[in-house]
Amino acid sequence: MNERLKGKTVVITGASGGLGEKIAHLCAASGARPVLLARNQEKLAQVARQIGDGQHVDCLPIVCDLSRQEEIPSVFQEILQETGGIDILVNNAGYGVFAEAGEVSLADLQGMFSVNVVGLIACTTEVIPVMKERRSGHIINIASQAGKLATPKSSVYSATKHAVLGYTNSLRMELADFGVFVTAVNPGPMATNFFDIADPGGSYVENVGRFILSTDKVAQKIVAAMMTRRREINMPGWMNAGSLAYTLFPGLVERLGKKAFFKK
């Protein structure tokens, strides 16, 4: 439970399953009203019903495709009309495709940047004026450990998450004087349907299965940090230590980690 969330409106992208769904359930359990954004209307409605039945909270499910950025302003206008304000935005939607740099299709390249970067920025742009005016709010961007330490077969995906981290770090400084918190979340691999697209052959999941994070644990960390000044959430700790080591000794980490990095 996070007592700070009582009566708050929390907008969550990618909320029809996985981490986004878990965050929505926990926010509702803490007394917040989740606004669920995703492409799949049927799954959104199902999650909203489950939260309504389990937590007796009125969820607001809205179909939104982040790759169609021209529709995002009207979506957020609808949210503001229905709720009167947005207290927290969780930019969770995103996907990846594992392929070597020379084999990534143009469609996959454009798709990952469209959703992971441009869609995230477009949603954030809609809430900035609202939060600045109220001098309160929290923007939480789900990045990745891949944004700190790029590995083979994730060149484009890592590039999108590097972009998210750069945007988040700049945004944090811009909004600090307005009472708006900005947090980057950098998880390692999680047990979601992410790998259905990223790793359809299953080799990566097979190789790193024992290191995969549970969405419950990641969601709990995120919800506990809501409406606090938490700068980053990095999970798991040992993987973040590797990312820090890479910052200090990139050549050494690349040499020592080469075999492990190619296990995708």
Side-chain angles (χ1 to χ4, degrees):
M1 294 286 288
N2 181 341
E3 295 294 328
R4 294 180 299 274
L5 298 187
K6 283 187 177 179
K8 304 294 187 184
T9 297
V10 184
V11 178
I12 307 162
T13 69
S16 61
L19 180 62
E21 179 182 357
K22 298 291 186 181
I23 292 171
H25 277 277
L26 291 175
C27 286
S30 293
R33 183 188 187 188
V35 178
L36 314 177
L37 304 185
R39 293 181 301 171
N40 191 308
Q41 185 173 13
E42 184 178 346
K43 288 182 179 179
L44 274 179
Q46 182 180 0
V47 174
R49 283 195 301 270
Q50 290 172 347
I51 291 174
D53 294 342
Q55 307 294 341
H56 306 291
V57 171
D58 179 25
C59 260
L60 178 59
I62 301 177
V63 174
C64 179
D65 183 349
L66 294 193
S67 67
R68 301 173 66 88
Q69 287 91 31
E70 69 278 3
E71 298 176 3
I72 290 175
S74 62
V75 168
F76 278 83
Q77 286 174 10
E78 180 181 351
I79 294 170
L80 290 171
Q81 289 171 358
E82 289 285 336
T83 66
I86 297 170
D87 298 292
I88 300 167
L89 169 65
V90 182
N91 283 308
N92 167 69
Y95 77 100
V97 176
F98 290 162
E100 292 190 5
E103 299 173 357
V104 178
S105 70
L106 181 60
D108 285 338
L109 186 157
Q110 291 175 329
M112 280 186 273
F113 269 94
S114 181
V115 174
N116 298 5
V117 181
V118 182
L120 178 149
I121 293 173
C123 290
T124 305
T125 300
E126 294 301 315
V127 304
I128 288 173
V130 178
M131 292 182 177
K132 286 175 72 173
E133 183 178 355
R134 299 172 70 176
R135 302 190 72 83
S136 174
H138 197 165
I139 297 166
I140 300 173
N141 292 334
I142 311 300
S144 171
Q145 286 295 325
K148 294 189 168 189
L149 174 54
T151 56
K153 296 186 180 179
S154 64
S155 56
V156 175
Y157 177 71
S158 292
T160 67
K161 294 305 183 177
H162 275 279
V164 169
L165 284 175
Y167 176 75
T168 304
N169 290 337
S170 176
L171 185 68
R172 185 184 300 108
M173 290 186 280
E174 290 181 4
L175 298 182
D177 290 340
F178 294 91
V180 179
F181 306 137
V182 179
T183 301
V185 181
N186 301 303
M190 284 185 290
T192 70
N193 61 0
F194 172 89
F195 294 106
D196 295 345
I197 297 173
D199 178 43
S203 60
Y204 181 69
V205 173
E206 183 179 347
N207 287 327
V208 303
R210 62 196 175 101
F211 301 121
I212 290 180
L213 294 164
S214 76
T215 52
D216 286 319
K217 187 174 181 180
V218 178
Q220 287 166 7
K221 288 274 190 181
I222 292 169
V223 174
M226 286 180 174
M227 300 308 291
T228 73
R229 294 185 180 276
R230 184 74 179 266
R231 186 181 188 279
E232 285 189 352
I233 297 172
N234 294 289
M235 299 175 70
W238 65 266
M239 186 174 286
N240 190 57
S243 297
L244 292 173
Y246 182 73
T247 301
L248 297 172
F249 312 106
L252 179 63
V253 172
E254 286 175 0
R255 288 196 301 275
L256 296 179
K258 182 176 180 179
K259 185 176 179 180
F261 293 159
F262 273 95
K263 286 194 173 183
K264 285 196 184 71

